[in-house]
Amino acid sequence: MNKKDSILQSALELLVEKGVHNTPMSAIAKNAGTGMGTIYNYFPTKDVLINELYVNIKKQEDTVFPDFDTTRPIKTQFEAYLRDIILFFIDNAQYFMFMEQVRASPIITEESKKVGIATVLPVYDLINKGKEERIIKDIETDELIQFMGGAVVSYLRWYHTQEHTNSNSSSIQNQVNMTWDAIKE
């Protein structure tokens, strides 16, 4: 791990543990085993560091999604997407906890938000295709995405407060089924 990645990892750990507003750059530098000059060489402000963490997580999130094979049924594509995003944030609990803190924060820049939105564009396309084929309810796509995201976030909040040794596939499938049942025509 290079110095920049070490700083980002240290920042993630501390931001999740102490919170965005309670984590000074000096604590991040100390945790990363580096000096303040080094940290500021990579990140001129804490906001820049937080945005880079956000973008890095969104880019990693994007790599777990299957390519949407348009020859597969809409429901199958939807189930794969929802299951994969849930598993990603189960396997990366710190990512989830960090994103919970910054999701609606003014710290996240418009440029960073654009990267985040780009990761879910295939889902928008999937929902729109499902609406066109009258498989998914004719409700505004943004509203459907918001509902799906809320279902995922609620489940992950619950999941991360339980005693688990690994992901429970039947529980995840229940969430996928309930969300599908709510949006299907």
Side-chain angles (χ1 to χ4, degrees):
M1 183 180 300
N2 66 35
K3 186 57 75 178
K4 185 176 182 181
D5 291 338
S6 175
I7 293 167
L8 286 169
Q9 183 59 42
S10 292
L12 178 64
E13 292 166 7
L14 289 175
L15 292 167
V16 166
E17 179 186 335
K18 298 180 183 288
V20 170
H21 299 295
N22 295 325
T23 306
M25 290 289 268
S26 58
I28 295 169
K30 183 178 179 182
N31 195 45
T34 191
M36 290 299 292
T38 302
I39 201 168
Y40 283 119
N41 281 335
Y42 291 105
F43 308 102
T45 68
K46 188 166 83 170
D47 287 3
V48 169
L49 186 150
I50 288 169
N51 274 276
E52 183 141 349
L53 265 174
Y54 176 90
V55 166
N56 284 348
I57 291 169
K58 284 297 188 181
K59 286 180 178 176
Q60 288 181 52
E61 183 182 317
D62 192 36
T63 65
V64 273
F65 297 143
D67 290 329
F68 286 108
D69 178 355
T70 56
T71 63
R72 292 172 44 201
I74 298 288
K75 180 182 179 192
T76 304
Q77 293 177 64
F78 171 84
E79 289 174 332
Y81 163 75
L82 215 62
R83 189 174 33 259
D84 286 349
I85 193 64
I86 289 170
L87 287 171
F88 175 78
F89 282 115
I90 284 174
D91 293 341
N92 298 285
Q94 284 189 324
Y95 290 174
F96 175 72
M97 291 177 224
F98 172 78
M99 296 303 268
E100 277 285 87
Q101 289 186 52
V102 301
R103 186 177 318 273
S105 172
I107 293 171
I108 303 304
T109 65
E110 287 303 315
E111 184 178 317
S112 295
K113 288 177 186 176
K114 285 179 185 174
V115 172
I117 289 170
T119 65
V120 293
L121 287 178
V123 181
Y124 276 84
D125 294 341
L126 175 69
I127 297 299
N128 287 331
K129 183 177 179 191
K131 287 171 33 178
E132 287 170 14
E133 294 180 15
R134 307 192 101 209
I135 296 168
I136 293 176
K137 289 179 177 149
D138 189 18
I139 296 174
E140 288 295 322
T141 303
D142 283 337
E143 198 173 338
L144 289 167
I145 296 286
Q146 183 65 32
F147 174 81
M148 292 164 40
V152 169
V153 167
S154 291
Y155 178 73
L156 289 167
R157 284 178 184 154
W158 171 81
Y159 180 89
H160 287 302
T161 61
Q162 305 300 306
E163 295 288 327
H164 296 286
T165 55
N166 58 17
S167 59
N168 179 334
S169 61
S170 65
S171 177
I172 293 169
Q173 190 59 47
N174 291 340
Q175 297 304 307
V176 170
N177 292 343
M178 288 188 288
T179 306
W180 173 254
D181 288 347
I183 71 164
K184 73 179 180 179
E185 187 68 47

